Amino acid sequence: MATAAPPAPPVSAPVDDLPRTADADGEMVDIIDRTTYAVLRAAPRAVVHRAAEWHRCVHVYLFALDGRMLLQRRSPAKRVAASAWDGSAAEHVVAGEEASAAAVRGVTEELGVSVKTALRGGRLVRVRGPFEVVGDYEGAGPGGGVLREREIVETWAGVWATAGPDGGDPVTSHDPVEVAEVAWVPCADIEARVAAGTVGEFTPWFAKEAAELPPSTVYKAAVAALAEGA
């Protein structure tokens, strides 16, 4: 399996002169060919989402030593799936950036966690990808238009190297602009809640992925890959 160590700073990506928001509309991302994944050109996220252009994203699953998964609840300011529970982190891959670097960046920016110092082996491992995530969200685009997601996604995972202070939960410091709160949840509980299908509890993409690739399976794959030094 592929691994991701903390990268050098990503290639600089210009953004529009917009205030920082939970949806980062001005962030530049690469538009890619759906089949070959070749980069065609770069554009702001708002443009990409309006035009239903294919682009790259990463999902990240993080686990405590005992196998519980870290979930984040999205900010109520998000235009899509506001206040829903999601995986540990997720990022659009910015223009010129590698997926592995985006995964590490997401953990740092959203959760305030250093992959190098906090996680086993100082890295993440890729457990799935690439696969497609598609969604059309009425009223979620800038100005109230339709936000059309066409994502090519890779899923990465990591395991904390140690328990938190006094044997408790590992410490995070989430970004309140993007994340409302975090919770450590047993994989079996997540899988049962996903199977129950309560509308709006989880983001649609996490609910779909967790049904296809259960968190308990991701945890076992990550532990095995890290043990092999992959």
Side-chain angles (χ1 to χ4, degrees):
M1 292 187 180
T3 64
V11 174
S12 177
V15 298
D16 294 342
D17 292 330
L18 297 173
R20 180 165 176 263
T21 68
D23 292 289
D25 293 322
E27 186 175 69
M28 296 293 287
V29 300
D30 287 325
I31 296 171
I32 63 174
D33 182 273
R34 181 181 184 181
T35 303
T36 66
Y37 309 144
V39 175
L40 304 178
R41 61 188 182 280
R45 275 172 60 171
V47 173
V48 169
H49 289 155
R50 185 183 310 119
E53 300 280 11
W54 288 93
H55 55 286
R56 296 179 301 150
C57 293
V58 292
H59 296 169
V60 182
Y61 287 37
L62 297 178
F63 300 92
L65 289 174
D66 61 7
R68 289 175 300 149
M69 182 177 170
L70 180 67
L71 297 181
Q72 64 158 274
R73 189 167 66 83
R74 287 164 62 85
S75 164
K78 292 280 190 180
R79 291 196 297 264
V80 176
S83 300
W85 288 99
D86 201 358
S88 306
E91 284 290 338
H92 283 69
V93 180
V94 300
E97 187 179 35
E98 295 295 331
S100 58
V104 171
R105 176 172 57 82
V107 172
T108 302
E109 291 181 356
E110 295 185 13
L111 302 172
V113 171
S114 166
V115 168
K116 182 177 181 180
T117 60
L119 300 188
R120 185 179 300 178
R123 65 188 190 278
L124 301 170
V125 293
R126 191 175 70 176
V127 294
R128 186 186 185 192
F131 62 98
E132 295 183 1
V133 172
V134 175
D136 293 333
Y137 305 100
E138 294 287 344
V146 180
L147 188 154
R148 305 185 189 278
E149 281 286 18
R150 300 294 186 271
E151 299 177 344
I152 301 295
V153 181
E154 295 181 9
T155 300
W156 293 75
V159 181
W160 249 260
T162 63
D166 300 320
D169 294 335
V171 175
T172 65
S173 179
H174 62 268
D175 176 7
V177 173
E178 295 199 61
V179 181
E181 63 178 313
V182 300
W184 291 95
V185 185
C187 289
D189 290 357
I190 297 172
E191 291 160 18
R193 287 160 58 184
V194 167
T198 302
V199 176
E201 180 176 15
F202 295 104
T203 63
W205 52 89
F206 178 74
K208 184 176 186 296
E209 184 171 8
E212 296 171 348
L213 185 66
S216 58
T217 301
V218 175
Y219 172 67
K220 292 173 184 175
V223 168
L226 290 165
E228 293 170 0

